[in-house]
Every structure is written in structure tokens, then in C-alpha cells.
Amino acid sequence: MAHEFICTVCPRGCHLRVDDDMNVTGNSCPRGVKYAIAEVTAPTRVVTSTVRINGAALRRCPVRTAAPIPKGLMGEAVKALSDVTLTAPVETGDVVIADVLGTGVDFIATKTFAKV
Amino acid sequence: MKDYELIVVGGGPAGLAAAAGAWEAGLRKILIVERDVELGGILNQCIHNGFGLHYFKEELTGPEYAGRFIKRLAGTDIEVLSDTMVLDVTEGPAVLVSGRECGCRLIQADSVVLAMGCRERTRGAISIPGSRPAGIFTAGTAQRYINIEGYMVGSRVVILGSGDIGLIMARRLTLEGAKVLACVEVMPHPGGLSRNIAQCLNDFNIPLYLSHTVTDIIGKDRVEKVIVSQVDERRRPIPGTEMEFECDTLLLSVGLIPENELSRRAGIEIDPRTNGPVVYGSMETSMPGVFACGNVVHVHDLVDNVSDEGERAGRSAAEYVLGGDKDAAPDGKAVSLKNGEGVTYTVPQHIYPSAGAADVYFRVAHTFDKSVIRVLDDGEEVLSFRRARMAPGEMEKITIPADKAAALKGTVTVLAQEA
Amino acid sequence: MYDVAIIGCGVIGAATAYQLSRYDLKIAVFEANNDVAAATTKANSAIIHAGYDPVPGTLTAKLNVEGNAMTEEICAKLSVPYKKVGSLVLSFEPENDAMLEELLRRAKANGVPHAAILTRDEALAIEPNLNPEIRGALYTPDSGIICPWEYALAMAETAVRNGTELFLSCPVTGLAPEDSGYVITTPKGTYRAKYVINAAGVHADDVHALLEEPDFRITPRRGQYYLLDKSEGGVVKHTIFQCPTKMGKGILVSPTVHGNLIVGPDAEDLTDKADVSVTAAGLVMLGNMARLSVPTLTTRNNIRNFAGLRAESDSEDFIIRESENFPGFFDLAGIRSPGLTASPAIGRYTVGLLEKAGAKLTEKKDFIDHRERIVFRDLPFAEQQKLVEKDPRYGRIICRCETITEGEILDTFKTPIPPVSINGVKRRCNAGMGRCQGGFCSPRVHAIIARELGIPMEQVLMEDEGTFIVQGETK
């Protein structure tokens, strides 16, 4: 069965097609081929969310997974953040949860907060 | 002696890039006036990834993207007045500000860059019928509540409009535990980027209803239901196609409007197609010494382009200030750009042929498969560009090389056709 | 035991409380909503009518002209936005010309100080955007525009400042006569008053029915509106009416005191006294009808649609009288247009009714007839500077579209009737009523309300009870 979907590697949004033999068409660059194969075999996503933070000017700190994680784990990964409360100061890149759900990928802070 | 060489109105992505561009081009007395308490503008609430692939060659979230620029400015002597509003821009130019810290005062500058960004179209702008309960938000307001303030706006949500913020919020709300029942778009094509349709709707099985709109809102205190109807080719609801969605929240992602109240009051010429100032290739507006960039000029879909435009405006302001003779336009006469068939506007609206290669941004009127963009000079084709696919939700950019630009003499038309 | 209880705090209840609070009386006002001016008063055309329309000899005609004459002074004393912009009634057909003559005759009979019929050219000279096909217009310089909710609020605040007690979220659910007056039942408790004044707007018949079957019926007549952006605010300088016909009073186009353009209303009799929804068909009709007066008018720059309910009664005239069966109970009912204009005169007239009924009226020596409000954007630059130096919160702009400062928002919480909702703040200082409709400032106003009222964000309301905005914290 052939798969058709939109490439999300960049904003260009190529319409990719992968046939049963894993031949990719519709891509504009090699990254599209890699994405297409991954999307058919083991799709992954970067997950972004927020966590509570104390002692900062705002009440929430934005976070993301440092790398894509399996698409099926998105919901679980976000739930794991419920138990986390950060305390300022926080630097962009600080690890919020290490090795999320055993994926080997960390949740990291995406904003710097001074202590207030 | 003026207070500053350059005042940048707005510390979002456009203003940050303009300040950085001006500093790197040699200005040393630069002030950014920002109405929020921190720099970064709307990027601060855009916590999702997808920013910076072009500009930084890596994928960042909004706060990270803003952080890069803020860090870049930290190495300079650029001053920032935050939590401060610009009330007026006047000839001179000068800027009237008001803030808790700085009070009310008039600040003189050699040049000004307008970078106020844009605002969201509201329910009123599209006159959605029905009652007026709580639970109706523009997507950006909901985004602020959720991502900055940390409050959920609802649990069962319908989204009207498929602009990028609405799509991003569909995913965000779903991951935060809400049920997004539908995304409804009045046009036959999505308003936002294809990748956002894929990763924000398709990933979560959220249905997208194209050629549909909300025709009634029901609820006394809080939204209880919305009625969605199919529309005909003239966007009129078709009776008998009503669908009912029980929900407590309606998000609106129905377009953005450049915020040009300051520009209008200052008497700067506005292009009715973009709702932004008419600009030259240098991003200079009709008011000498006043430049504009980013979403205040035209609504972009990629912040990377905003940064490019901002830097260009900043560099141009620096050239203007350091160039000595303020009245001297570049050599030769400017030529005007017009949108031809299939194109809804162009930015800039004027270019100087002698000013080198010219980047031209525009949007197409409808979706195109294999297509060609043509540039005509008084009807004569001078350039063409091939495209595999174009959509109104995705801004197009072409570059007119320096040699071709130098040869332009009449009215330049940019048009799009199926190949 | 109160001397007077007023049921309802729209502009009629507020004006009556204001006029009564000049006297040594113990006054209570019961309002079902959580704010004053929260129903008909907040959603109407916001016009101060000259008084050429009502049939001569009616109470409506008398109170209209009297009310018009009282408006300017009250607005000056109580800092209410009001502008005497004048109005034009347009004639499109030969039959309309006769109607204009009739209106001119009524104007004279009713005692309207100035009114004249202009030729087409004269009308176009003062309003160039009018339809060039008009035949003429009735011109009155005494018509005005006002901020209706601030008018009611200012009068209610002044009454409260002078000792009137206001009970909000306090619907009257029972009324019973007793020897010395009436027992008033509400969810918040039972109260007694010698005199009861029914100013319950579209619910006036329901309130009367708490005592006896009323001999009048109130029908909620819905009127829908467009409120256009300030960019359109200068399209006309006067209030433009269409000549009334059998089909109705036509659609008006008028500047507002806030600088916007208002277009409306249609007229539709409903049964639901809470249905203020707008309809697609109604809005399309408004646009088309308005373009008859101003052909270039575009609703593209609309910022808000709304609808209000007029208290339409089966009587030709205002119903302002003491009950025959229940002495001391007064109806102020069926106050349709020009009720807003007539309101201060209705209040004054009601004072007279009470006096006739035997109420002892002694004027207060220390009556405070004054109200001030800081409006940052209207101050000259030097004044703005001084104000911000004194209190930096006036330098911080919260509502960008309307240039409303944190200081002005905080001021509303120090008034005699502080706001309890986002729309309550909007009505008191205009934050959120601009072109972005609170998109930018409502989360900020929301946080200020939570802080000032000492309640969690989840409990902050947009308007009435139940209009919660956020549902709880994110994880």
C-alpha cells in the first residue's frame, strides 16, 4: 500500500509518496526521503509543551524534546511533565526530564528565566 | 543632536533584527521601545518548534529563536525601553512614549523603524451570527492564556479558520487534554502551512472542513454549541448542510492585520492590499527616515523572512543616518511593482533599479500546481521562475538579480500562471 | 425599612435613584444582574433624541424634550461622554416629504427648540457622504450622542455616593403589601420599603405580576447593530435617521462618543427576554438599509455586532404611574425609545409622583452632584506627563487600541460601584472596546480583576454569573 503525506521537515510542505518498495517521490531534497521512510516505518515528532516554574516572572516555562521521539509517545511524554515544577533560575537548554519514557531523549527548557 | 540615531518601535522578531542589523551596519545609539515587559514579541508564546530552519539552519521554538536575537543584542550597547508604549510617531522623526518607568516623553531620532507586528482579526471582523457567551477566543489570545499564563481555555473546542496559529493551537490543546472537534475553513484551501495541517491536525485525527464556516453560536453564559455549514463558491452558507458541535470553546484563526495605527496617524502611505506601509526595496516608507519591517508591512508565515526583512530595514536606516545627505535617494528613478493575475500583492511596492538585487515577496490568489511566476517590465517578460506548487497560505519570494533590476524602467508586474 | 426600593438599575432605575438621592430618603436599588446598565442600557443606539418624533401631548413627548434639555448639564457634572452632534432625518420618497412636515409640526408642538427642513443640497453640504438621491432632510441641532452605560453608571454611582444602597445579583422574586409598604423578597434576603418603583425594563410586567396580573405586556423587541472601527467614525458627523414609515423607523447611521460608527437597529419582536443573539439575515439587512442613507458605507471594518432588547409595551405611551390597586407601587414600564433621552426627566417626574403619593421630600444639604474620571488619552501632553510622574501606573498602557492605562483600570475598583467582570471594566474605562476587542488586553485585565477582587483566575467572569473565561490551570 502506498503512503501519501506532507513533508514536515521544512515549511515547504512537499507532498511525498512512498510505495511498497520504499521508493519516495515528490520530495525536493534528500531530507524528504529520510523523513518519508521514517514516517512509514517509525514516525517521530519533536514535542513541545510547558511546565510549572516557581520564582520566575512567569508561571510556566516552555519546554521541548531535544530530539524527535516516537510519534505514539507524544501524549505520554506530555503527561510526564505534570509531575515537574522548575525553580528559577532556568537556562535555555537545561534538562527538565532526562531520558523521557526511556527514549534516550531529554525534555529541555526553551527559555531562560532569571530568579525574581 | 538627536537623542538616538535609531528608534525601533517594537521588540519582536522584526524589531530585534532591525536593531541588530543597524548596529552591525555602524549605528551606535539605538533604542528599542517594547510594550511588553520582555523582548521577543509574539515568539514568547509560540512555544512550538519550526522556527529558524532558514535563518539559523536548525529547528528552534519561538522562545529559543527570540533568545538567539536577545543574546546577539546583549553584546551591543543597544538600549531597550520595555513595558513602554509608543503613542505617536511624528515627523522629525520623533517618538512619543509612555511607560511606568520612563513616564511620558518625546524622543527625537535620526531614523525610526516601525516593527509593531500585527493583530488578529476578531469575531466582529467576520460578523459571526449568534449569541455572545464567554468561550470565544482568538487563537493568539488562547495561546497566551495557555502558554504564558498557564490556564486552559476550554475542554471541547471548535476552531474556525485554518491559519497557522489556529492549527498550532489544535495540537497544543489536544496534548493538553482538550478535545478539538473540528477545524473549519471557509476557503476551499487551508489558510496555514501544509506542514501544520499534517502535524497539527492529521497527527491527531482532527477533521478539517474546507468550504465550511460557523453560522451560529449558541450559549447564554458559556459557549454550548456551534453550528457549522458548508458554503458555496461565493462563501455563502448552503441551507441544509448544518452540522452541530457541542463544545464550550470556539477559537478564531481568521487572519491577521498589520497594526498600523501609528503609521496611519503619522500620515504614512498605506497599501490597501497589505494594510501595511508602502515600502521601497530598502524598507523605507513614504515618510523620510521612517522604515518598516515584518508583520507591520505584510503578514509573513515564517519568522525567518521577518528577520531578513528586519535586518534589511535596520541596515537601510543605518545607511540613511550615516549617509550624510538625507534627501538623496539612490541614483535613478524608482519603478513601481504591480500584482498581475494570480498574485494578490507585492512587497516592496517600489524598487530602485540601481540598488542591486531585489527580493520581492508576494502571495498567490489560489492554489497552483506546476506553475510559473513571470516578471514583466511594461508588459515585456524579463524573468520567470518555475514552481511545483503554490498556495495562498505560503508566501512566495523571488529575487530579481542586480543586472535585471538595473534594466527595469517601466511598471513592473509580477504574475502567476499554471505552467 | 427603606423609604424607596427601586427594582432594576438600568438607566431608568439609575436616573430615578439619582433624582431621589437628592432628598433625605433611605433608598435601595435591586438589580438582578451583577452590574448596573447590564441589559437594554448597554445595547442601544446611544442617541439623545431632540423630541420631534413622539406624538404631541403624550408623556413620551414631554419627558423626551425635558430629558434632552437636562442631559448636557448632568453629563458635565458627572463626566459622561456626550456630544450634541445634531441629527438629520432623510427623505427618499415624496411620501417621506409629508412625514418630514409632520415631524416638523410635532417638533414645534413638543417644544423642540430648533428644527428645520433642509433641501437636498443643504443636507449634502453638511453631510457630503449622504445618498445624493435624497429629497431633503429634517435637521435638529439638539440631538446628541452619549455613552449610555456610563450615563447610567454615573447616575447610579452618584446615588450610591449620596447614600443609596445598591444590591447587585439580587433579583426580586417576591413582592407583598403590608400595612406600611411592601415586603421585597430576594435570594439575598427580605427587605421592606414604603414605596416600590418598578424599573425592571423588559421584565417590568413580570415584576408587576409579583403583585397582580398587570394590565400591560412587555415584548422584548430585539435590535441588532454593527459597531464599526474608528476608521469609519467620520463617515457622517450627525446622526442620520431614515424617514419613519409603516415599515418602521428605519436604520440609523451615527458617530459614537467613542469615535466609532454605529449602524442599526432592526426591530424583531421575540418571546425570550434574554435572546440578544445576532442573525446573519438581520446583519445583511442592516448593511443594505444603511447604504440607502450612506451609499459608501462598508461593514468590512466592523469590530463588533451586538443586539439589545427594547421594552416594547402594548401602550402607545410610556407607562409611568402609581398602581391603582397597590398604592405606593409605581410602574416605570414600556420605556422604549426615547427612554435613554427621557431618563433624567422620568426620574424627576417620578420624584413628583412620590411627593403626590405623600412621600416627605427634604432636600439634602450635602448632596454630592459631581463625578470625575481620569481619561489619560484625552489629557493634554503636559497633563499626561504630570499624571505619570505622580503615579507611574497611569503611564502603563494596558489597552493599546483605546490607550487605557493601568491607573485608569485600577481607578474603576475605587468607584462606588466597582466592576466584577471584564466587561464591567470595559464599561467603566473602555479597556477592550477597541478594534482588537480585548485580544491583547483581556488576559491582562483578567489578571488585574483576579488581583483586585482577591479571587482565582478561574472565577473571573466575562459578564454575568457563569461566564467563566478559563477552566483551570494547565499541568
Side-chain angles (χ1 to χ4, degrees):
Chain A
M1 195 187 86
H3 298 264
E4 286 188 38
F5 43 84
I6 293 158
C7 183
T8 65
V9 170
C10 81
R12 189 170 181 144
C14 294
H15 289 243
L16 303 179
R17 192 182 150 87
V18 187
D19 69 16
D20 293 340
D21 301 323
M22 291 291 159
N23 294 314
V24 178
T25 49
N27 58 302
S28 309
C29 74
R31 284 181 305 172
V33 178
K34 219 173 120 195
Y35 172 80
I37 304 288
E39 194 63 14
V40 173
T41 54
T44 60
R45 297 288 183 268
V46 168
V47 178
T48 61
S49 189
T50 56
V51 290
R52 291 191 197 90
I53 181 167
N54 290 330
L58 299 173
R59 304 165 61 249
R60 291 292 182 278
C61 173
V63 299
R64 70 170 164 97
T65 54
I69 64 167
K71 181 177 157 184
L73 291 178
M74 281 194 288
E76 282 294 298
V78 169
K79 278 203 191 97
L81 292 167
S82 314
D83 307 329
V84 180
T85 301
L86 304 177
T87 303
V90 166
E91 282 284 326
T92 300
D94 282 1
V95 174
V96 174
I97 301 180
D99 187 16
V100 185
L101 306 173
T103 55
V105 175
D106 301 337
F107 255 125
I108 56 169
T110 57
K111 190 173 160 87
T112 295
F113 286 94
K115 194 175 158 60
V116 293
Chain B
M1 182 69 185
K2 302 286 183 69
D3 300 312
Y4 290 92
E5 290 169 315
L6 168 64
I7 296 175
V8 179
V9 183
L16 289 170
W23 176 269
E24 279 146 27
L27 293 189
R28 283 300 169 264
K29 281 193 67 72
I30 302 174
L31 173 70
I32 301 175
V33 186
E34 166 55 40
R35 54 195 163 195
D36 212 331
V37 291
E38 58 178 348
L39 291 172
I42 212 69
L43 285 172
N44 288 317
Q45 68 183 53
C46 297
I47 63 161
H48 54 281
N49 58 317
F51 301 93
L53 268 171
H54 156 79
Y55 196 90
F56 291 111
K57 310 293 175 217
E58 61 179 304
E59 193 163 358
L60 302 170
T61 64
E64 288 171 306
Y65 190 99
R68 295 279 175 102
F69 272 92
I70 292 166
K71 217 170 218 172
R72 186 164 151 197
L73 259 52
T76 70
D77 296 326
I78 294 170
E79 294 172 45
V80 178
L81 256 183
S82 59
D83 205 3
T84 302
M85 182 88 178
V86 171
L87 297 180
D88 264 314
V89 175
T90 57
E91 256 174 280
V95 164
L96 179 64
V97 299
S98 178
R100 263 184 100 128
E101 304 298 323
C102 65
C104 272
R105 57 194 173 97
L106 193 68
I107 310 175
Q108 310 276 347
D110 295 313
S111 64
V112 168
V113 170
L114 303 175
M116 292 87 77
C118 59
R119 66 164 181 273
E120 296 179 279
R121 293 179 82 212
T122 64
R123 176 180 179 181
I126 52 172
S127 285
I128 307 172
S131 61
R132 291 175 302 289
I136 304 166
F137 300 86
T138 56
T141 304
Q143 189 178 45
R144 182 176 175 97
Y145 269 120
I146 297 173
N147 292 350
I148 305 276
E149 317 274 339
Y151 291 95
M152 275 303 270
V153 295
S155 49
R156 290 176 65 82
V157 184
V158 169
I159 300 176
L160 174 61
S162 56
D164 286 313
I165 315 170
L167 299 175
I168 292 292
M169 288 310 293
R171 174 176 65 181
R172 178 78 177 111
L173 281 158
T174 305
L175 284 174
E176 205 57 50
K179 173 80 183 158
V180 178
L181 302 165
C183 179
V184 178
E185 169 61 54
V186 73
M187 300 300 282
H189 50 78
L193 298 171
S194 301
R195 71 183 317 223
N196 286 336
I197 300 288
Q199 62 188 5
C200 298
L201 298 185
N202 300 353
D203 270 6
F204 300 94
N205 299 315
I206 298 168
L208 171 63
Y209 295 96
L210 295 174
S211 295
H212 280 71
T213 193
V214 171
T215 48
D216 203 1
I217 298 171
I218 294 154
K220 186 181 167 288
D221 300 324
R222 178 83 193 193
V223 174
E224 290 162 20
K225 268 186 237 178
V226 302
I227 308 296
V228 171
S229 304
Q230 202 182 328
V231 298
D232 63 19
E233 59 284 352
R234 290 178 58 196
R235 282 180 264 160
R236 292 170 309 193
I238 303 170
T241 60
E242 294 83 2
M243 292 185 283
E244 197 175 291
F245 291 92
E246 271 184 40
C247 58
D248 55 24
T249 304
L250 174 64
L251 290 201
L252 305 177
S253 181
V254 293
L256 300 167
I257 307 168
E259 276 221 292
N260 277 292
E261 284 63 42
L262 287 175
S263 328
R264 279 179 222 272
R265 273 207 302 278
I268 289 167
E269 187 188 353
I270 302 290
D271 183 340
R273 300 171 303 174
T274 54
N275 284 311
V278 168
V279 290
Y280 291 81
S282 61
M283 303 313 291
E284 190 169 17
T285 69
S286 64
M287 187 181 274
V290 178
F291 299 77
C293 55
N295 284 351
V296 82
V297 177
H298 59 135
V299 175
H300 295 64
D301 26 60
L302 295 181
V303 71
D304 305 65
N305 291 333
V306 170
S307 297
D308 281 346
E309 209 174 87
E311 283 191 355
R312 184 140 46 101
R315 278 196 311 270
S316 302
E319 276 169 35
Y320 172 86
V321 172
L322 302 173
D325 184 1
K326 306 249 179 308
D327 295 325
D331 297 336
K333 246 183 82 194
V335 297
S336 294
L337 271 60
K338 292 264 178 299
N339 50 301
E341 60 169 296
V343 171
T344 54
Y345 72 79
T346 66
V347 165
Q349 288 84 349
H350 306 291
I351 56 172
Y352 283 102
S354 57
D359 289 342
V360 178
Y361 294 104
F362 62 92
R363 280 183 196 273
V364 289
H366 53 89
T367 47
F368 285 87
D369 285 328
K370 275 201 171 42
S371 52
V372 59
I373 299 161
R374 300 184 197 283
V375 179
L376 315 179
D377 185 6
D378 268 347
E380 296 284 315
E381 180 167 322
V382 289
L383 266 173
S384 68
F385 304 83
R386 306 225 151 248
R387 289 286 187 276
R389 215 185 134 265
M390 291 194 290
E394 301 178 12
M395 199 168 74
E396 291 294 329
K397 178 186 163 188
I398 54 172
T399 302
I400 303 176
D403 59 325
K404 298 273 189 191
L408 296 172
K409 48 195 184 303
T411 295
V412 179
T413 306
V414 179
L415 60 85
Q417 292 167 330
E418 298 278 351
Chain C
M1 181 83 180
Y2 292 99
D3 294 309
V4 186
I6 299 170
I7 301 172
C9 201
V11 73
I12 303 301
T16 305
Y18 169 61
Q19 298 294 2
L20 282 171
S21 67
R22 298 169 186 278
Y23 304 95
D24 266 323
L25 294 170
K26 199 165 146 54
I27 306 166
V29 181
F30 299 97
E31 169 53 51
N33 294 299
N34 65 4
D35 201 358
V36 306
T40 304
T41 301
K42 76 171 179 195
N44 57 77
S45 309
I47 304 297
I48 296 299
H49 293 273
Y52 51 77
D53 192 47
V55 176
T58 58
L59 196 52
T60 306
K62 169 185 150 71
L63 296 173
N64 182 162
V65 174
E66 284 179 20
N68 179 296
M70 294 167 79
T71 310
E72 191 155 8
E73 191 190 334
I74 296 174
C75 290
K77 280 188 202 163
L78 305 187
S79 298
V80 178
Y82 164 70
K83 272 186 202 160
K84 211 182 227 189
V85 292
S87 71
L88 291 168
V89 185
L90 306 184
S91 162
F92 299 98
E93 312 277 344
E95 305 90 86
N96 294 165
D97 293 351
M99 190 63 202
L100 291 194
E101 292 291 346
E102 166 63 15
L103 293 178
L104 182 64
R105 194 186 63 75
R106 288 187 201 173
K108 284 179 182 152
N110 291 344
V112 175
H114 317 89
I117 290 179
L118 305 186
T119 63
R120 167 192 176 275
D121 290 351
E122 286 168 339
L124 285 169
I126 60 169
E127 277 299 358
N129 289 328
L130 291 183
N131 187 344
E133 284 169 29
I134 58 166
R135 300 171 53 84
L138 176 74
Y139 171 64
T140 54
D142 304 303
S143 295
I145 52 178
I146 194 165
C147 175
W149 57 85
E150 188 161 359
Y151 196 28
L153 185 64
M155 292 193 282
E157 278 182 9
T158 308
V160 170
R161 209 170 258 132
N162 287 291
T164 298
E165 289 175 58
L166 173 67
F167 298 85
L168 293 171
S169 302
C170 197
V172 172
T173 53
L175 270 177
E178 58 174 9
D179 287 349
S180 53
Y182 291 87
V183 180
I184 300 152
T185 315
T186 78
K188 290 193 173 168
T190 301
Y191 305 89
R192 298 189 144 71
K194 232 178 275 175
Y195 302 99
V196 174
I197 295 169
N198 173 13
V202 291
H203 294 290
D205 51 351
D206 306 325
V207 165
H208 192 110
L210 296 173
L211 279 176
E212 60 169 345
E213 186 58 33
D215 60 358
F216 61 89
R217 274 280 144 224
I218 304 295
T219 302
R221 180 169 288 179
R222 183 174 62 187
Q224 307 186 40
Y225 292 90
Y226 274 102
L227 187 67
L228 305 186
D229 191 277
K230 288 182 176 178
S231 62
E232 312 299 313
V235 168
V236 290
K237 293 182 280 298
H238 305 79
T239 300
I240 308 301
F241 295 99
Q242 296 171 342
C243 192
T245 62
K246 272 177 255 132
M247 301 299 291
K249 280 174 103 174
I251 298 302
L252 70 83
V253 177
S254 178
T256 71
V257 285
H258 304 111
N260 301 88
L261 196 77
I262 191 168
V263 176
D266 61 348
E268 188 181 352
D269 288 346
L270 306 180
T271 47
D272 182 352
K273 290 180 174 178
D275 184 358
V276 288
S277 47
V278 293
T279 65
L283 295 178
V284 168
M285 192 279 285
L286 288 187
N288 292 340
M289 284 284 285
R291 274 185 285 275
L292 192 60
S293 300
V294 184
T296 52
L297 184 128
T298 162
T299 53
R300 225 180 45 197
N301 290 323
N302 181 47
I303 64 168
R304 188 176 180 84
N305 293 108
F306 64 91
L309 300 174
R310 291 95 111 185
E312 187 61 32
S313 79
D314 39 16
S315 161
E316 298 277 301
D317 207 351
F318 289 161
I319 301 165
I320 303 180
R321 63 187 179 210
E322 188 173 7
S323 162
E324 279 177 25
N325 300 329
F326 292 90
F329 180 84
F330 298 85
D331 285 311
L332 312 184
I335 314 293
R336 59 168 79 83
S337 176
L340 175 65
T341 311
S343 58
I346 291 174
R348 198 171 64 181
Y349 183 80
T350 307
V351 172
L353 290 183
L354 280 181
E355 194 170 24
K356 254 185 253 165
K360 266 227 179 66
L361 301 180
T362 317
E363 275 195 50
K364 276 182 191 144
K365 292 200 177 61
D366 53 354
F367 180 65
I368 306 159
D369 200 6
H370 185 70
R371 172 182 177 268
E372 266 181 72
R373 175 157 92 73
I374 291 171
V375 182
F376 176 83
R377 65 169 174 206
D378 291 347
L379 295 174
F381 181 56
E383 296 285 314
Q384 289 180 332
Q385 277 185 309
K386 246 190 265 167
L387 183 65
V388 179
E389 255 167 53
K390 216 174 68 189
D391 185 344
R393 290 174 301 185
Y394 289 105
R396 187 183 199 201
I397 313 291
I398 300 287
C399 168
R400 304 169 180 179
C401 300
E402 297 294 306
T403 319
I404 309 300
T405 65
E406 186 178 23
E408 291 164 271
I409 293 171
L410 291 171
D411 283 347
T412 67
F413 292 93
K414 291 179 234 146
T415 60
I417 310 172
V420 295
S421 66
I422 296 217
N423 287 353
V425 168
K426 174 163 86 172
R427 282 192 290 274
R428 282 161 179 80
C429 67
N430 304 343
M433 65 172 279
R435 46 174 63 100
C436 92
Q437 287 288 292
F440 283 112
C441 69
S442 64
R444 289 161 178 88
V445 173
H446 191 154
I448 292 174
I449 294 174
R451 198 177 69 212
E452 291 298 309
L453 300 183
I455 56 174
M457 290 282 279
E458 295 90 318
Q459 284 179 24
V460 172
L461 300 169
M462 183 190 83
E463 183 69 283
D464 302 318
E465 302 304 325
T467 58
F468 300 109
I469 299 154
V470 297
Q471 293 190 338
E473 296 199 22
T474 59
K475 55 164 186 14

